[in-house]
Amino acid sequence: DDRIEHECQCQRSVTMSLQQISITPGPILPFKLSDIGEGIMEVTVKEWYVKEGDKVSQFDSICEVQSDKASVTITSRYDGVIKKLYYEVDATALVGTPLVDIETESGPEVAHEEDVVETPAMSHDEHTHQEIKGHKTQATPAVRRLAMENNIKLSEVVGTGRDGRILKEDILNFLSKQTGAILPLTPFHEIQPPLPTASAPSSVVKPKAKPPPSVPLPAISRPVFSGMDSTEPLKGFHKAMVKTMTAALKIPHFGYCDEVNLTRLVQLRKELKGLSDARGVKLSYMPFFIKAASLGLLRFPILNASVDEAVQNITYKASHNIGLAMDTSQGLLVPNVKNVQMLSVFEIAVELNRMQTLGATGQLGTADLTGGTFTLSNIGSIGGTYAKPVILPPEVAIGALGKIQVLPRFNSRDEVVKAHIMNVSWSADHRIIDGATMARFSNLWRDYLENPASMVLDLK
């Protein structure tokens, strides 16, 4: 019996020791922001997916950061508990500095690693998830940012999207229910003086009537304006735009404008639009503009080139990576379609659909925003006819497309007909491109669009 009791005591002692070891917390490791590449030295923290005290596993999303080139989702390298967040939302984080402290699980396998796993920002059909009170709330980063700016807990919002996903409209409806309708101010009613009463006829001469007492004007309370100016630092894409445009000021721009008759192209697109819609792709005019530019660059390769800072060497680019200036909620972005010289018009349309969807949700990656060799700006989608586009270094040329207008024009028989006219404005680096070259390229580009069937001869 003594032997059995002794063995039981030993077993209990071992069990307690194992339990103490299992609950012993591991070391607290600083989780540093490593080099993202592209020469980026700082980023802006746009959204935290965790808070202090949250438990995370490897590859769980920690936060979303934005550089001057793209948005990046940072994921965890460790299993453990978040002990400290080093930055607030919209704060600037430097490469090599800690983002969070993580209390890792104890064990010899935990090593002090400084690298951060970076993954490109999620596409439009991917969504982040947040554990709230035992269930997952689904919402895109843009919706989460809207909720955060208005101090709304996502757990209190009822999602109307698929699988309970919270949409932007759900946040706006929730806000309207919280704030209520704004009642209009009560209109001011002017006080009218009393009408004079008719006096009874009398033969007696009446004394001169005294004027009625004047009615005092009501005091009108004027609203007191309490607004204040605000100052904020330039960040992200706006900061990159300052850098790019400052460099562009050093380039002597040569401008050239022309008009293009798109009547035949309008008819061709009308015929092809049904086929494209059946394939699930929206077909605009831009794929034709981009493909025609690529065919023109084959004849005038100097427009698809770059020069070094000392302007001593010209590099002719083999790939036609044609950028499209895009107006987004984050500012001006210029993603580019890679290797246009190898793509059909339909394949270009597919790529544009993808980039426009990502641009609308702020999810364009670094690969889409870098490596451009030539740019077109579709400013006409907003309005206007002519523009003065600014070259994006190290490129040497850019075109701005005006809106398509229905205007009267003379045909070959001197008859006035209805025509679809678009104005185009080109800018070229006059240090290496002369006016004649720009004009000849523009003429060739215009011919392809005015006679779209001619592109078939040069398509590859």
Side-chain angles (χ1 to χ4, degrees), residues 129-193:
H129 301 271
Q130 181 181 9
E131 293 285 346
I132 299 180
K133 297 182 181 178
H135 69 279
K136 288 189 175 181
T137 301
Q138 302 184 31
T140 62
V143 172
R144 292 184 182 277
R145 187 174 300 112
L146 179 62
M148 183 180 300
E149 290 173 352
N150 291 278
N151 297 320
I152 296 175
K153 295 182 179 179
L154 292 180
S155 59
E156 299 176 355
V157 181
V158 178
T160 60
R162 196 175 76 177
D163 300 328
R165 184 178 302 120
I166 297 176
L167 307 178
K168 178 182 178 181
E169 290 77 10
D170 299 328
I171 299 295
L172 297 178
N173 290 336
F174 185 84
L175 271 175
S176 64
K177 292 178 181 178
Q178 277 192 329
T179 58
I182 300 177
L183 298 177
L185 294 175
T186 304
F188 167 73
H189 298 282
E190 183 179 0
I191 300 177
Q192 300 290 343

Side-chain angles (χ1 to χ4, degrees), residues 272-289:
L272 297 178
K273 192 173 183 301
L275 296 174
S276 181
D277 291 343
R279 300 183 187 182
V281 176
K282 179 181 178 181
L283 181 63
S284 64
Y285 295 104
M286 279 306 299
F288 297 97
F289 299 154

